[in-house]
Amino acid sequence: MRLVLVGPPGAGKGTQAQFIAEQRAIPKISTGDIFRANVTQGTELGLAAKAYMDAGDLVPDQVTVEMVRARLAEPDAAKGFLLDGFPRNVPQAVMLDEILRDIGSDPIDVVLELVVDDDEVVLRLSGRRTCRTCNHVWHVDYDPPTIEDICDRDGGALYQRDDDREATIRHRLDVYAEQTAPLVGFYARRGALIGLDATGPVDDVTERALEALHRFRT
Ligand code: ADP
Ligand code: ADP
């Protein structure tokens, strides 16, 4: 299955992507995670992306799309994949269609839109903590690790992302509304969109998502 998760920053895309990808046995491809790994390693790609990420702006399409093209060509993506954070505007969605055609893949099957309001997003993002080693995402109140700032999964140190500060969060929400939200109509017109209430406990959202995917298929 070829899946895309869309939703504002903090909607829970990364959190749900991990569970859905594990359940479906497909790779989770998160452009944000790939960019952050490149920033940490100081690669050319990381250097090209960093200023945009810090400002809460989108990294230019050219850079982003070539990175995704390379990732989708890897063998593990042949049986399906879950894209988290890509595409993020209509031009990227059009280029994604082209990449899939170029590599002989079927088109995207389903786009899952996680729906949460802005106030909840701010609460979620301001308490988000991410594992330095496995990228698992925690929340100081909603999903705390057993030991503060230590990942339960692999003992890695947790950190707060630089772009999860209130002013940058507000800007990212504006970027989402202007550039990313039009994807909802784009995929709805194709009959590929599922809108999902992403409020309530993480497990409830996962259950809703898996049920919706199951219903969509059958
Ligand atoms: P969030 O989890 O808050 O939605 P991500 O981790 O997906 O954020 O993305 C963090 C940052 O990485 C974005 O603000 C943007 O600068 C960059 N980024 C990630 N994916 C894309 C993309 N598809 N196109 C352009 N920039 C991207
Ligand atoms: P995104 O990838 O869309 O930016 P994340 O998955 O990183 O979002 O989640 C943002 C923050 O909200 C994280 O700290 C995560 O632990 C928390 N979170 C995710 N889903 C829920 C939920 N259903 N209820 C409360 N907090 C959540």
Side-chain angles (χ1 to χ4, degrees), residues 8-15 124 128 137-139 142 198 200-202 205:
K13 299 182 299 296
T15 302
R124 288 186 184 184
R128 170 158 67 183
V137 166
W138 301 90
H139 190 282
Y142 299 145
V202 170
V205 180

Side-chain angles (χ1 to χ4, degrees), residues 25 40 55 77 85 93 105 112 123 127-128 156 158 173 187-188 191 195 199 202 204 212:
T40 305
S105 162
L112 210 51
L123 288 175
R128 170 158 67 183
L158 305 187
L173 284 170
Y187 285 116
T199 58
V202 170
D204 291 2

Side-chain angles (χ1 to χ4, degrees), residues 77-109:
K79 60 175 193 264
F81 50 79
L82 194 168
L83 283 168
D84 158 25
F86 181 92
R88 248 194 170 80
N89 57 27
V90 171
Q92 290 184 6
V94 170
M95 287 186 266
L96 173 60
D97 288 341
E98 284 169 16
I99 293 174
L100 294 177
R101 256 198 318 270
D102 290 349
I103 63 176
S105 162
D106 287 336
I108 295 297
D109 297 299

Side-chain angles (χ1 to χ4, degrees), residues 7-11 13-14 30-33 35-36 49-61 64-65 67-68 84-89 92 125 128 161 163-164 172 175:
K13 299 182 299 296
S30 160
T31 43
D33 285 352
F35 279 135
R36 278 185 292 278
K50 188 173 186 318
Y52 297 99
M53 297 174 75
D54 287 347
D57 287 320
L58 296 187
V59 177
D61 291 344
T64 307
V65 168
M67 178 176 94
V68 172
D84 158 25
F86 181 92
R88 248 194 170 80
N89 57 27
Q92 290 184 6
L125 289 182
R128 170 158 67 183
R161 281 170 44 176
D163 57 348
D164 280 348
R172 285 157 64 210
V175 169

Side-chain angles (χ1 to χ4, degrees), residues 119-139:
D119 289 343
E120 177 66 15
V121 153
V122 175
L123 288 175
R124 288 186 184 184
L125 289 182
S126 44
R128 170 158 67 183
R129 297 292 182 274
T130 308
C131 176
R132 278 215 187 275
T133 43
C134 74
N135 293 319
H136 185 81
V137 166
W138 301 90
H139 190 282

Side-chain angles (χ1 to χ4, degrees), residues 156-218:
L158 305 187
Y159 74 103
Q160 180 170 26
R161 281 170 44 176
D162 287 340
D163 57 348
D164 280 348
R165 304 186 192 285
E166 176 118 17
T168 318
I169 292 172
R170 293 282 170 199
H171 179 62
R172 285 157 64 210
L173 284 170
D174 290 343
V175 169
Y176 179 80
E178 283 163 25
Q179 302 190 45
T180 311
L183 286 177
V184 170
F186 178 90
Y187 285 116
R189 282 189 287 279
R190 279 187 193 185
L193 188 85
I194 300 178
L196 195 78
D197 171 10
T199 58
V202 170
D203 291 351
D204 291 2
V205 180
T206 309
E207 203 172 305
R208 248 175 261 149
L210 293 174
E211 250 174 41
L213 290 174
H214 185 71
R215 258 185 283 125
F216 190 86
R217 284 213 112 174
T218 50

